[in-house]
Amino acid sequence: MTDESGLAGFGALPEAAAIDALLGCCSAPEWARAVAAGRPYASDAELFAAADAALAALPESGIDQALAGHPRIGARAESAASAREQAGVAQADDGVRAALAEGNRAYEQKFGHIYLVCATGKSGAELLDILRDRLGNDPATERQVMRTELAKINRIRLARLLGGAA
């Protein structure tokens, strides 16, 4: 459970600092502004619901901004959050990493954006299986699946922001 002082501390941040902190969770400025504007939140659940609602309200351009903040699965992560989330890929053998790279290229060619998945707790082989399954989706279905995965990642990062063990 997230420490309530974390939630209270987040609520007390100046708006610019709150937005900056939120951009570390999701790189879509419109999302960060919407979540910051809803402060203070009475509970983690209320914050997560607001984050989900802000994500659902994002236009496709905002989703593209959010995607830009994530590395390809299996690529070198620039942020500590991404590195932590993709830790299972680091233990993958060369064959799995090569297949992920090939799958990423096929995915991007088909859907026009990176393969985004909530990688926390998943091995490289699991992520590869998920990628192969999702390549069978039509573009509209895949866009919705990707939004759902983005919401999961946002919640994990929000919990960590508040001091929770995500």
Side-chain angles (χ1 to χ4, degrees):
M1 176 151 225
T2 299
D3 180 294
E4 285 302 312
S5 66
L7 187 62
F10 173 67
L13 287 174
E15 185 172 2
I19 290 169
D20 189 51
L22 289 164
L23 286 170
C25 298
C26 177
S27 61
E30 188 175 337
W31 176 88
R33 286 191 299 272
V35 175
R39 295 172 311 130
Y41 294 101
S43 66
D44 294 357
E46 188 178 303
L47 170 61
F48 295 155
D52 290 348
L55 183 66
L58 279 183
E60 291 304 315
S61 60
I63 294 297
D64 291 340
Q65 289 174 316
L67 288 173
H70 293 272
R72 286 179 179 87
I73 295 293
R76 184 166 182 266
E78 305 253 337
S79 75
S82 292
R84 185 174 36 255
E85 292 158 3
Q86 291 194 36
V89 177
Q91 280 76 48
D93 64 35
D94 290 342
V96 169
R97 282 199 293 271
L100 277 168
E102 181 181 321
N104 279 326
R105 284 189 293 276
Y107 182 97
E108 290 172 25
Q109 184 175 15
K110 180 173 182 175
F111 297 115
H113 58 82
I114 66 162
Y115 162 55
L116 185 79
V117 61
C118 183
T120 300
K122 294 179 178 73
S123 70
E126 288 174 295
L127 295 168
L128 179 58
D129 287 343
I130 294 166
L131 170 58
R132 287 176 173 158
D133 286 344
R134 285 175 52 189
L135 278 167
N137 288 341
D138 63 84
T141 298
E142 183 53 28
R143 197 74 175 177
Q144 190 55 49
V145 170
M146 178 270 301
R147 278 180 175 258
T148 299
E149 293 297 303
L150 184 56
K152 291 177 194 176
I153 295 166
N154 288 350
R155 282 176 172 239
I156 289 168
R157 291 180 176 186
L158 284 167
R160 187 165 295 283
L161 173 69
L162 298 178

